Amino acid sequence: MGRLGWGGYFGGLAAQLDGAFGADGAFAHDRLRFVDFVDDVEELLEEVARRERGDEEAADGFEEYVLR
């Protein structure tokens, strides 16, 4: 994403996903359901796509792909 010029979004993204991973980098299943995490990430990606391309369709299918 940085190569696409979307690097400015990473700071906000990290803050919004804070707490989803433990200090060891493993997903924190005891704090957040994985399906909820994936849904949140898809929403964030849709917002980036809406800002950059004017269309959130670029992020469609993310959730289904990850959960498959």
Side-chain angles (χ1 to χ4, degrees):
M1 291 181 85
R3 285 183 268 158
L4 295 172
W6 296 358
Y9 298 105
F10 291 136
L13 179 64
Q16 290 177 307
L17 299 178
D18 187 39
F21 297 91
D24 62 355
F27 183 77
H29 290 278
D30 59 330
R31 288 183 248 159
L32 181 66
R33 291 182 338 147
F34 186 71
V35 294
D36 294 336
F37 169 75
V38 172
D39 185 52
D40 291 345
V41 171
E42 181 178 49
E43 288 178 25
L44 293 169
L45 291 174
E46 287 173 349
E47 180 60 31
V48 170
R50 194 173 16 261
R51 287 186 208 165
E52 291 297 316
R53 296 187 173 184
D55 183 11
E56 67 184 46
E57 299 298 317
D60 276 356
F62 173 81
E63 186 174 5
E64 292 82 12
Y65 176 78
V66 170
L67 294 177
R68 228 181 318 145

